[in-house]
Amino acid sequence: MRASVAIGTAAIGSTAIPGCISGALHGQPELVWGRRGFSEGRFLKPRAIAIDPADRLYIVDTTGRIQVFDADGNYLRGWSTPQTKNGRPTGLAVALPTGFSPSGVDGPDAQLSAHRLLVADTHYYRMLCYTLSGKLVPEQQIGGVAGYSPGEFAFVTDAVCDADGCFYIGEYGDSDRIQKFDPSGQFMTSWGGTGNQPGQFVRPQSLVVQGQTLWVADACNHRIQRFDLSTPTPTLVGIFGSQGSESGQFYYPYDLTLAADGTIVVCEYGNQRLQRIDSNGNWIASWGGPGFQNGQLYQPWGVVIDSDRRVHVLDSNNHRVQRLPLSQLS
């Protein structure tokens, strides 16, 4: 481990009560949309959100549906994952892998035909790959077998891709680890393991690639870990946060997203809020708090930022999305 690693000092075994947080931090959202239901544009406990370069939102819920919306919440299209009997996906990411041919793609996907939607098909032990118009690309699937060997998975949490076209797939359960694959889907390396020591994980729920850095929401360790991807096996370079409800602490961080200025917005399932921190883990602002009113959250799972610096938070158990300007987290 590099000497520069910064590690939170609070004990992992400490407790936190979400209800101790203020019911509304930093005011009202600018837009709230969605409601409970099974029809187009409605949700049943949405579990993951991703955004493409055209600011279109991709949302999967517990029905196994992936629905696509514009940044104002207008429904565009949708489809369902192939199997849902065992469970539904819990991770989505839009990627531009190398070697993916745009030939034959038209319609709403024409300008982004090389991009793909990576789906963590959690209970089927695999990463699914779709065009942004919803066409399954079966030859780009990784995994599908439960197990501990390279290329086998426990419950898949998230899948992302770096600028070289390599894939990183997180998993929890029997194997709290991250596996790396080359652009053709061949196993390269893995790291982690179940535990609370630096570099270990307990449910690495969300992964985000930023250049040669991989950010990991280490959910059940209540912290964020950061890894250098330039080494053959990614190297730990930072740990932020500890369990709690104070500013800069976390309680089940389920997702994170990076702003253009290098700051990070963290979505906390347990504390039911968003926190914005700088790249060194210093607290900047919080927003949300537990509840059902606009500006409050009920067990949120995901967060993204669009090109207009607007934050979209997946207010999961309220079956909706709330949008606020990033400036509201400052």
Side-chain angles (χ1 to χ4, degrees):
M1 186 193 309
R2 296 186 180 181
S4 61
V5 173
I7 300 177
T9 57
I12 292 295
S14 63
T15 59
I17 302 174
C20 291
I21 300 171
S22 170
L25 303 172
H26 276 68
Q28 293 293 302
E30 64 179 19
L31 178 67
V32 179
W33 58 272
R35 57 185 297 188
R36 190 181 190 279
F38 296 91
S39 58
E40 291 180 353
R42 296 190 180 190
F43 304 112
L44 189 66
K45 296 181 180 179
R47 286 293 183 261
I49 184 170
I51 191 167
D52 71 19
D55 286 340
R56 296 177 298 203
L57 305 171
Y58 300 76
I59 298 174
V60 65
D61 68 8
T62 54
T63 68
R65 297 175 302 166
I66 297 171
Q67 298 186 78
V68 187
F69 303 86
D70 67 19
D72 294 320
N74 297 304
Y75 177 85
L76 301 176
R77 58 186 177 274
W79 65 90
S80 294
T81 52
Q83 298 167 285
T84 58
K85 182 179 179 180
N86 293 346
R88 288 79 175 184
T90 61
L92 297 176
V94 172
L96 183 59
T98 61
F100 280 26
S101 172
S103 61
V105 181
D106 54 17
D109 216 15
Q111 294 183 344
L112 295 170
S113 55
H115 286 75
R116 296 292 183 264
L117 181 70
L118 309 182
V119 179
D121 198 10
T122 307
H123 299 275
Y124 290 91
Y125 323 110
R126 63 191 178 185
M127 179 199 83
L128 297 175
C129 181
Y130 289 90
T131 68
L132 298 190
S133 59
K135 179 182 178 182
L136 185 65
V137 187
E139 63 271 21
Q140 297 296 335
Q141 175 181 312
I142 297 177
V145 176
Y148 307 96
S149 299
E152 298 176 346
F153 296 100
F155 297 115
V156 177
T157 56
D158 206 3
V160 295
C161 181
D162 67 18
D164 296 323
C166 296
F167 298 93
Y168 302 83
I169 302 177
E171 56 186 297
Y172 81 99
D174 293 331
S175 301
D176 287 286
R177 63 178 178 177
I178 298 172
Q179 297 189 61
K180 180 180 180 180
F181 300 84
D182 70 14
S184 66
Q186 297 300 306
F187 173 83
M188 298 178 68
T189 190
S190 67
W191 76 99
T194 304
N196 58 18
Q197 297 303 305
Q200 294 181 318
F201 307 108
V202 182
R203 189 165 182 159
Q205 178 61 40
S206 178
L207 315 179
V208 175
V209 172
Q210 178 194 42
Q212 290 295 308
T213 299
L214 178 69
W215 297 84
V216 181
D218 187 11
C220 296
N221 279 326
H222 314 289
R223 65 188 182 186
I224 308 299
Q225 299 200 64
R226 184 176 68 184
F227 295 88
D228 180 1
L229 299 181
S230 66
T231 55
T233 296
T235 305
L236 179 68
V237 293
I239 300 178
F240 309 132
S242 59
Q243 182 176 342
S245 59
E246 300 299 321
S247 298
Q249 295 182 319
F250 303 115
Y251 195 48
Y252 297 105
Y254 267 18
D255 200 10
L256 61 91
T257 188
L258 306 178
D261 62 2
T263 60
I264 302 100
V265 176
V266 180
C267 175
E268 295 178 74
Y269 176 89
N271 280 329
Q272 303 180 102
R273 66 181 176 184
L274 301 177
Q275 287 194 81
R276 187 180 182 187
I277 60 175
D278 68 19
S279 59
N280 295 313
N282 299 306
W283 178 85
I284 299 172
S286 299
W287 186 89
F292 312 103
Q293 303 301 314
N294 293 350
Q296 297 178 324
L297 302 169
Y298 184 15
Q299 297 177 343
W301 275 65
V303 63
V304 296
I305 300 174
D306 66 25
S307 62
D308 289 325
R309 293 170 54 87
R310 298 176 299 188
V311 179
H312 305 254
V313 56
L314 200 59
D315 189 7
S316 299
N317 277 25
N318 282 325
H319 316 287
R320 65 186 182 183
V321 176
Q322 299 195 57
R323 191 182 80 193
L324 60 142
L326 182 61
S327 60
Q328 211 163 327
L329 274 162
S330 61

